[in-house]
Short mmCIF file of all heavy atoms in Angstrom, two decimals:
data_model
loop_
_atom_site.label_atom_id
_atom_site.label_comp_id
_atom_site.label_asym_id
_atom_site.label_seq_id
_atom_site.Cartn_x
_atom_site.Cartn_y
_atom_site.Cartn_z
N SER A 90 5.94 20.25 1.14
CA SER A 90 4.99 21.35 0.94
C SER A 90 5.77 22.60 0.60
O SER A 90 6.98 22.66 0.80
CB SER A 90 4.12 21.55 2.18
OG SER A 90 4.77 22.37 3.11
N TYR A 133 -8.55 14.61 -3.02
CA TYR A 133 -7.40 15.49 -2.81
C TYR A 133 -6.33 15.02 -3.76
O TYR A 133 -6.30 13.85 -4.17
CB TYR A 133 -6.87 15.38 -1.37
CG TYR A 133 -7.76 16.03 -0.33
CD1 TYR A 133 -8.38 15.28 0.66
CD2 TYR A 133 -7.96 17.41 -0.34
CE1 TYR A 133 -9.18 15.87 1.61
CE2 TYR A 133 -8.77 18.02 0.62
CZ TYR A 133 -9.38 17.25 1.58
OH TYR A 133 -10.18 17.84 2.52
N PHE A 138 1.82 16.46 -2.09
CA PHE A 138 0.79 16.97 -1.18
C PHE A 138 0.29 15.81 -0.30
O PHE A 138 0.10 14.70 -0.78
CB PHE A 138 -0.34 17.56 -2.03
CG PHE A 138 -1.51 18.08 -1.24
CD1 PHE A 138 -1.32 19.01 -0.23
CD2 PHE A 138 -2.80 17.65 -1.51
CE1 PHE A 138 -2.40 19.51 0.49
CE2 PHE A 138 -3.88 18.14 -0.80
CZ PHE A 138 -3.68 19.06 0.21
N THR A 139 0.06 16.11 0.97
CA THR A 139 -0.31 15.04 1.90
C THR A 139 -1.80 14.64 1.83
O THR A 139 -2.18 13.62 2.41
CB THR A 139 -0.03 15.46 3.35
OG1 THR A 139 -0.63 16.74 3.56
CG2 THR A 139 1.44 15.53 3.65
N GLY A 140 -2.62 15.46 1.14
CA GLY A 140 -4.07 15.23 1.16
C GLY A 140 -4.48 13.86 0.62
O GLY A 140 -5.20 13.11 1.29
N GLY A 210 -11.31 20.21 3.71
CA GLY A 210 -10.25 20.96 4.38
C GLY A 210 -9.16 21.32 3.40
O GLY A 210 -9.37 21.35 2.19
N ALA A 211 -7.97 21.62 3.93
CA ALA A 211 -6.78 22.05 3.19
C ALA A 211 -6.84 23.52 2.81
O ALA A 211 -5.88 24.08 2.29
CB ALA A 211 -6.52 21.20 1.94
N GLU A 212 -7.96 24.18 3.06
CA GLU A 212 -8.09 25.62 2.80
C GLU A 212 -9.20 26.17 3.69
O GLU A 212 -10.06 25.42 4.16
CB GLU A 212 -8.43 25.87 1.32
CG GLU A 212 -9.80 25.31 0.93
CD GLU A 212 -10.12 25.45 -0.55
OE1 GLU A 212 -9.21 25.76 -1.34
OE2 GLU A 212 -11.29 25.23 -0.90
N PRO A 213 -9.19 27.49 3.94
CA PRO A 213 -10.23 28.06 4.80
C PRO A 213 -11.60 27.98 4.12
O PRO A 213 -11.68 28.10 2.90
CB PRO A 213 -9.82 29.52 4.95
CG PRO A 213 -8.46 29.64 4.37
CD PRO A 213 -8.23 28.49 3.47
N ASN A 232 -15.46 19.46 8.78
CA ASN A 232 -14.15 20.09 8.66
C ASN A 232 -13.04 19.08 8.97
O ASN A 232 -13.15 18.27 9.89
CB ASN A 232 -14.07 21.27 9.63
CG ASN A 232 -12.97 22.25 9.26
OD1 ASN A 232 -12.41 22.19 8.16
ND2 ASN A 232 -12.65 23.16 10.16
N LEU A 233 -11.99 19.16 8.18
CA LEU A 233 -10.80 18.30 8.36
C LEU A 233 -9.59 19.22 8.29
O LEU A 233 -9.43 19.97 7.33
CB LEU A 233 -10.74 17.26 7.23
CG LEU A 233 -9.47 16.43 7.10
CD1 LEU A 233 -9.26 15.56 8.33
CD2 LEU A 233 -9.55 15.54 5.85
N TYR A 234 -8.75 19.18 9.33
CA TYR A 234 -7.62 20.11 9.37
C TYR A 234 -6.31 19.34 9.52
O TYR A 234 -6.27 18.29 10.17
CB TYR A 234 -7.78 21.08 10.55
CG TYR A 234 -6.54 21.91 10.84
CD1 TYR A 234 -6.28 23.09 10.14
CD2 TYR A 234 -5.61 21.49 11.80
CE1 TYR A 234 -5.13 23.83 10.40
CE2 TYR A 234 -4.46 22.24 12.06
CZ TYR A 234 -4.23 23.41 11.36
OH TYR A 234 -3.09 24.13 11.60
N GLY A 235 -5.28 19.89 8.97
CA GLY A 235 -3.95 19.32 9.18
C GLY A 235 -2.91 20.09 8.41
O GLY A 235 -3.23 20.98 7.63
N LEU A 236 -1.66 19.76 8.65
CA LEU A 236 -0.56 20.39 7.90
C LEU A 236 0.58 19.39 7.78
O LEU A 236 0.77 18.54 8.66
CB LEU A 236 -0.09 21.69 8.57
CG LEU A 236 0.49 21.65 9.96
CD1 LEU A 236 1.27 22.94 10.19
CD2 LEU A 236 -0.58 21.55 11.01
N SER A 237 1.28 19.46 6.66
CA SER A 237 2.30 18.45 6.36
C SER A 237 3.39 18.38 7.41
O SER A 237 3.86 17.29 7.73
CB SER A 237 2.96 18.67 5.00
OG SER A 237 2.45 19.77 4.36
N GLU A 238 3.82 19.54 7.91
CA GLU A 238 4.95 19.51 8.84
C GLU A 238 4.63 18.66 10.06
O GLU A 238 5.50 18.01 10.63
CB GLU A 238 5.29 20.93 9.31
CG GLU A 238 5.85 21.83 8.22
CD GLU A 238 4.76 22.55 7.44
OE1 GLU A 238 3.61 22.06 7.43
OE2 GLU A 238 5.06 23.58 6.83
N GLY A 241 -0.23 15.80 8.23
CA GLY A 241 -1.03 15.88 7.01
C GLY A 241 -2.47 15.97 7.49
O GLY A 241 -2.71 16.32 8.65
N PRO A 242 -3.46 15.64 6.64
CA PRO A 242 -4.84 15.70 7.11
C PRO A 242 -4.99 14.69 8.24
O PRO A 242 -4.45 13.59 8.12
CB PRO A 242 -5.66 15.25 5.89
CG PRO A 242 -4.71 14.47 5.05
CD PRO A 242 -3.36 15.10 5.27
N ASP A 301 -1.28 29.60 11.63
CA ASP A 301 -2.75 29.60 11.54
C ASP A 301 -3.33 30.24 12.79
O ASP A 301 -2.87 29.95 13.90
CB ASP A 301 -3.28 28.16 11.44
CG ASP A 301 -2.98 27.54 10.10
OD1 ASP A 301 -2.99 28.27 9.08
OD2 ASP A 301 -2.74 26.32 10.04
N ILE A 323 -10.07 27.93 11.33
CA ILE A 323 -8.95 28.85 11.14
C ILE A 323 -9.53 30.19 10.68
O ILE A 323 -10.26 30.24 9.68
CB ILE A 323 -7.97 28.31 10.07
CG1 ILE A 323 -7.49 26.90 10.43
CG2 ILE A 323 -6.81 29.26 9.84
CD1 ILE A 323 -6.72 26.81 11.71
N ARG A 326 -4.29 33.96 8.96
CA ARG A 326 -2.90 33.55 9.07
C ARG A 326 -2.11 34.71 9.65
O ARG A 326 -2.45 35.87 9.44
CB ARG A 326 -2.31 33.24 7.67
CG ARG A 326 -2.98 32.15 6.91
CD ARG A 326 -2.30 30.82 7.05
NE ARG A 326 -0.86 30.87 6.90
CZ ARG A 326 -0.06 29.84 7.25
NH1 ARG A 326 -0.56 28.72 7.73
NH2 ARG A 326 1.24 29.92 7.10
N MET A 330 0.75 33.87 3.69
CA MET A 330 0.51 32.71 2.82
C MET A 330 -0.92 32.71 2.27
O MET A 330 -1.87 32.95 3.00
CB MET A 330 0.74 31.41 3.60
CG MET A 330 0.62 30.17 2.74
SD MET A 330 0.92 28.65 3.67
CE MET A 330 -0.74 28.21 4.18
N ILE A 332 -3.81 30.39 0.06
CA ILE A 332 -4.08 29.01 -0.37
C ILE A 332 -4.92 29.10 -1.63
O ILE A 332 -6.04 29.60 -1.60
CB ILE A 332 -4.78 28.19 0.73
CG1 ILE A 332 -3.93 28.23 2.01
CG2 ILE A 332 -4.98 26.75 0.28
CD1 ILE A 332 -4.45 27.39 3.15
N ASN A 337 -0.47 25.91 -1.21
CA ASN A 337 0.03 27.05 -0.45
C ASN A 337 0.95 27.90 -1.34
O ASN A 337 1.88 27.38 -1.94
CB ASN A 337 0.82 26.58 0.76
CG ASN A 337 0.00 25.65 1.63
OD1 ASN A 337 -1.23 25.60 1.50
ND2 ASN A 337 0.65 24.91 2.51
O1 DLL B 1 -3.35 21.11 3.57
C1 DLL B 1 -3.10 19.03 4.75
C2 DLL B 1 -4.55 18.74 4.52
C3 DLL B 1 -4.94 18.02 3.41
C4 DLL B 1 -5.49 19.14 5.46
C5 DLL B 1 -6.28 17.71 3.22
C6 DLL B 1 -6.84 18.84 5.27
C7 DLL B 1 -7.22 18.13 4.17
P1 DLL B 1 -0.41 21.74 3.83
O2 DLL B 1 -0.39 21.72 2.36
O3 DLL B 1 0.88 21.64 4.57
O4 DLL B 1 -1.27 20.56 4.39
O5 DLL B 1 -1.17 23.06 4.26
C8 DLL B 1 -1.43 23.32 5.62
O6 DLL B 1 -3.47 24.53 5.07
O7 DLL B 1 -1.54 25.41 7.93
C9 DLL B 1 -3.79 25.79 7.02
O8 DLL B 1 -3.36 27.11 6.75
C10 DLL B 1 -4.48 25.23 5.78
N1 DLL B 1 -5.55 24.31 6.14
C11 DLL B 1 -5.53 22.96 6.18
N2 DLL B 1 -6.73 22.48 6.56
C12 DLL B 1 -7.54 23.55 6.78
C13 DLL B 1 -8.89 23.73 7.20
C14 DLL B 1 -2.63 20.33 4.17
N3 DLL B 1 -9.70 22.71 7.46
C15 DLL B 1 -2.21 24.61 5.77
N4 DLL B 1 -9.35 25.01 7.34
C16 DLL B 1 -2.61 24.87 7.20
C17 DLL B 1 -8.57 26.06 7.09
C18 DLL B 1 -6.77 24.71 6.52
N5 DLL B 1 -7.29 25.95 6.67
#
Side-chain angles (χ1 to χ4, degrees):
S90 85
Y133 287 116
F138 178 54
T139 51
E212 65 184 12
N232 199 12
L233 170 64
Y234 169 85
L236 63 162
S237 359
E238 292 87 338
D301 289 326
I323 304 298
R326 299 264 314 167
M330 184 179 93
I332 304 184
N337 305 344

